[in-house]
Amino acid sequence: MATNFESGGSFTESMLRGTGGQVFTSTVILAVLGVLLLAMNRLGVLEENEPTLLKSRIPFCGHLLGMLKWQVGYFQMLSSKVPSYPAFTLRIFSSRIYVICDPSLIQAAYRNTKTFDFGSFVVESSQRAFNIGEQGMKIIRGETSPDYDPNGPFLNGNDGDSFLNENHRIMVESLSPGTGLSELNRGVLEKVAASLNVINGDAEAFGLYRWIRDVLTLATADALYGPQSPLNTDHSLIDCLWDFEDKMTLLMLNFLPTIIAPKAYMGRIRIKSAFTSFYANNHELTASKLIQARLACSQKWGFTPDDIANFEISTLFLATTNSVPTSFWQLSYILSSPTLLEQIRAEVESIVTRQPSKEDGKEEAVMDITRFQTQCPLLLSTFHETLRLVDAATSVRAVTKPTALSSPGSSLSYTLKSPSVIQLPSGITHTSPAIWGPDVLEFNPRRFLPSTKSSLDKRTRQAQKQGYFPFGGGKHLCPGRHFAMMEILAFVAGVVVGFAVDSQNDETFRVPDMAFQKLGTAVRKPVKDVEIKLRKREGWEDVRWRFDSVGEGTVDFKALVGEDGE
């Protein structure tokens, strides 16, 4: 089955206009058209039970042009035209792209790691985005492994002996609940508290987004790399990182980078230089256990110091580029509603203990991070609702052999050909009225409250659970989700309770417009920054902030992130 969802004249008509009636010209054009139409017909034929084909008015490359124009939003645009389609197929030249829209099928795709591969995309992006040398790429492709078989599975299988698999295991182990995650959380929250404590009693004016960007980037880098973090000694590297983030997709073209993306190109060079010095001076000895383990893994597999230094921009990129805009949007939504602001302040104040410091007697405000889950349900609900609205990440997988995609408990089933690509756009399910109701595009701070979810029928509750996946899914579920969520919640909670935030331009704080979302980004950014005045709240002028685990409490990270099986 094929659907042409675009309006306008036919391709044949547009080609024949302006021929002037010349027989020879017309004959040539008709001959060319015959070949093209024959090719189009062949390309348009799908095998039985493949997802429905959506045709473009422009043959062969129309969908490619659409993706270049609308980027992350293109799949949402297509899905909105055929909202009843659980999945559909796009053809770009001879290639197939399967766009999966149904929540249960998306989760089934995430679970299938045998025939749906993510590693090939990691390999390709490593060379293009992070400038890894050819010898380093052989290591990344698994070609230096003793188990390497050129005719065997990619990266020597999902659990095979390869650098990427070992590095992934290190990331998962270090960022899962345990001593490694506790160390990282302690480090990042100490730095966040220090940034809040330097705000003086007078109102300070600055851009809210840029302030959050600088605070969280520095805090994250310090937690990962320790006191000798290059960003601690040279704050201009913050701009380098975000310049790289802004134009990374252009760098991946590998075409005249100094001309089409000069700031990103120079930012990458400067960060590489900083980390070359970092490792040459053995500063990793004071870094986190995660960084030490990754360095040992990289050296074991034979990466050069140049490649190791190049890796670090990817680490900073992954650790900051979603946390920063998410913090901005959650804080913006809260600040825009005085009633919501007061309700969340009351929640957070219940987990803050004010007491004299044992060190110097100065009053401390100690926030117990173990009680977010039990005492701050509205804060948590606004976090998830913020992600639902601003996160539109698209996960991608390669189909390595023909397979059936189906979901337990559902009659839906499709045949997927190989080679082809699967796209799993969260923006489709995150903004689906069929899943979230008629207010799907509105910020509802109570949407993720336990009481709200329990009032839903079983089918809707299941659809929302499967259709909300801001952290991805399957084997490659974001390993840093627990770290990021704690950083965001603590920062937002500290600002809400300890400070008054006023817009410099309006009497009331307004949520800014969202910018166009480019390929390669997950969380949207504002069109422009919000100029604010930040001052300490009355009654909180002289406190010093600290985030800690008070008493015997522990953080239930699975419940916090929403993986508690509800």
Side-chain angles (χ1 to χ4, degrees):
M1 177 178 178
T3 300
N4 191 329
F5 58 89
E6 294 185 329
S7 60
S10 72
F11 174 68
T12 305
E13 290 171 347
S14 66
M15 284 293 292
L16 288 176
R17 290 193 188 105
T19 60
Q22 297 179 16
V23 176
F24 177 76
T25 305
S26 298
T27 303
V28 171
I29 289 177
L30 288 172
V32 172
L33 281 174
V35 173
L36 289 176
L37 289 172
L38 179 62
M40 287 166 59
N41 287 332
R42 289 178 177 175
L43 287 177
V45 174
L46 297 182
E47 293 197 6
E48 186 178 359
N49 208 35
E50 280 189 85
T52 301
L53 176 68
L54 294 189
K55 290 184 177 180
S56 171
R57 187 167 45 134
I58 303 175
F60 304 115
C61 64
H63 289 304
L64 176 61
L65 297 176
M67 291 170 64
L68 292 174
K69 180 179 180 180
W70 299 107
Q71 306 212 18
V72 171
Y74 187 60
F75 297 134
Q76 288 175 248
M77 289 175 57
L78 296 183
S79 180
S80 69
K81 297 175 185 294
V82 288
S84 64
Y85 286 20
F88 52 83
T89 304
L90 308 180
R91 298 300 296 264
I92 297 178
F93 298 107
S94 62
S95 300
R96 283 174 167 84
I97 296 177
Y98 299 118
V99 181
I100 313 300
C101 310
D102 177 80
S104 64
L105 291 178
I106 288 172
Q107 295 304 321
Y110 275 131
R111 289 191 296 270
N112 185 346
T113 59
K114 292 184 178 180
T115 56
F116 298 157
D117 172 64
F118 179 62
S120 57
F121 297 100
V122 176
V123 169
E124 184 172 349
S125 65
S126 295
Q127 185 167 29
R128 292 176 173 268
F130 308 121
N131 199 31
I132 306 301
E134 182 51 38
Q135 180 58 30
M137 290 308 303
K138 288 182 178 179
I139 300 171
I140 290 176
R141 289 190 293 263
E143 295 173 12
T144 63
S145 169
D147 297 338
Y148 177 65
D149 177 359
N151 299 314
F154 190 70
L155 298 177
N156 307 316
N158 282 314
D159 299 311
D161 187 22
S162 70
F163 164 75
L164 280 185
N165 286 337
E166 183 175 342
N167 183 68
H168 181 72
R169 286 193 292 270
I170 289 171
M171 296 288 286
V172 171
E173 291 169 4
S174 300
L175 291 166
S176 295
T179 56
L181 179 60
S182 296
E183 174 196 85
L184 288 169
N185 279 333
R186 185 166 53 253
V188 76
L189 296 185
E190 283 179 1
K191 199 72 174 181
V192 167
S195 295
L196 297 181
N197 290 333
V198 299
I199 302 295
N200 59 41
D202 300 327
E204 296 191 29
F206 42 69
L208 179 61
Y209 184 87
R210 187 178 180 91
W211 177 63
I212 293 173
R213 186 201 77 166
D214 291 355
V215 167
L216 296 188
T217 302
L218 280 174
T220 302
D222 188 271
L224 290 169
Y225 298 103
Q228 300 300 322
S229 163
L231 278 69
N232 281 343
T233 55
D234 185 356
H235 287 188
S236 71
L237 293 176
I238 300 174
D239 288 331
C240 290
L241 173 64
W242 289 92
D243 286 341
F244 171 81
E245 185 270 347
D246 185 48
K247 293 291 191 290
M248 183 187 73
T249 51
L250 291 181
L251 283 183
M252 292 178 69
L253 296 176
N254 267 348
F255 177 74
L256 302 177
T258 58
I259 296 175
I260 66 173
K263 287 187 176 180
Y265 182 79
M266 290 307 301
R268 185 173 66 183
I269 287 176
R270 287 198 57 208
I271 289 178
K272 173 191 174 182
S273 175
F275 278 100
T276 298
S277 176
F278 176 85
Y279 286 118
N281 288 288
N282 298 318
H283 290 322
E284 76 277 0
L285 297 177
T286 57
S288 66
K289 290 182 175 62
L290 168 60
I291 295 301
Q292 293 175 1
R294 289 184 68 245
L295 175 63
C297 175
S298 299
Q299 291 174 332
K300 165 192 164 183
W301 282 94
F303 283 101
T304 66
D306 263 8
D307 283 338
I308 291 172
N310 270 326
F311 282 144
E312 298 311 329
I313 197 168
S314 69
T315 305
L316 288 171
F317 175 88
L318 294 171
T320 60
T321 53
N322 291 332
S323 298
V324 167
T326 301
S327 301
F328 171 83
W329 290 117
Q330 185 183 8
L331 192 54
S332 294
Y333 281 121
I334 294 171
L335 294 173
S336 69
S337 169
T339 301
L340 179 63
L341 175 61
E342 289 306 315
Q343 290 171 336
I344 291 182
R345 273 179 176 163
E347 280 188 350
V348 178
E349 284 181 6
S350 72
I351 65 171
V352 174
T353 302
R354 297 175 65 160
Q355 61 191 30
S357 168
K358 296 179 181 179
E359 296 176 0
D360 56 13
K362 185 176 180 178
E363 185 179 23
E364 283 188 327
V366 184
M367 187 179 298
D368 185 356
I369 62 174
T370 67
R371 299 172 67 194
F372 280 137
Q373 177 66 24
T374 57
Q375 301 297 114
C376 303
L378 197 52
L379 176 71
L380 263 63
S381 181
T382 59
F383 170 83
H384 290 294
E385 177 70 347
T386 296
L387 273 181
R388 185 188 69 81
L389 285 174
V390 305
D391 181 283
T394 299
S395 298
V396 60
R397 299 290 187 269
V399 182
T400 59
K401 61 181 180 180
T403 189
L405 176 63
S406 59
S407 172
S410 170
S411 60
L412 294 173
S413 180
Y414 292 105
T415 299
L416 305 185
K417 298 288 291 180
S418 174
S420 59
V421 172
I422 296 178
Q423 299 278 356
L424 309 171
S426 64
I428 291 178
T429 58
H430 285 186
T431 56
S432 169
I435 296 174
W436 304 99
D439 66 342
V440 64
L441 298 181
E442 299 174 15
F443 179 80
N444 179 352
R446 289 168 172 76
R447 194 184 303 273
F448 285 87
L449 287 175
S451 58
T452 303
K453 292 191 286 186
S454 65
S455 69
L456 301 172
D457 61 81
K458 182 178 180 180
R459 182 176 180 180
T460 302
R461 192 161 58 246
Q462 180 71 0
Q464 290 188 0
K465 180 180 178 181
Q466 293 180 329
Y468 174 70
F469 50 98
F471 304 110
K475 174 186 175 182
H476 293 281
L477 182 69
C478 174
R481 62 197 182 279
H482 303 129
F483 173 75
M485 186 171 183
M486 181 57 69
E487 179 182 32
I488 294 167
L489 289 177
F491 172 77
V492 170
V495 173
V496 163
V497 169
F499 299 88
V501 183
D502 300 311
S503 171
Q504 291 188 42
N505 303 320
D506 300 295
E507 291 183 4
T508 58
F509 189 98
R510 290 180 172 83
V511 178
D513 293 332
M514 295 183 188
F516 179 81
Q517 190 172 9
K518 296 178 292 187
L519 287 171
T521 61
V523 180
R524 298 171 184 177
K525 296 180 177 62
V527 170
K528 61 180 181 179
D529 209 343
V530 180
E531 299 300 320
I532 63 160
K533 291 181 180 178
L534 184 70
R535 54 185 170 82
K536 292 187 175 181
R537 279 180 68 206
E538 184 177 352
W540 297 79
E541 297 92 342
D542 299 320
V543 301
R544 184 167 60 208
W545 283 95
R546 182 161 62 87
F547 302 95
D548 207 346
S549 302
V550 179
E552 300 298 320
T554 58
V555 179
D556 185 350
F557 281 103
K558 286 192 174 181
L560 204 64
V561 174
E563 302 167 357
D564 52 357
E566 276 192 32

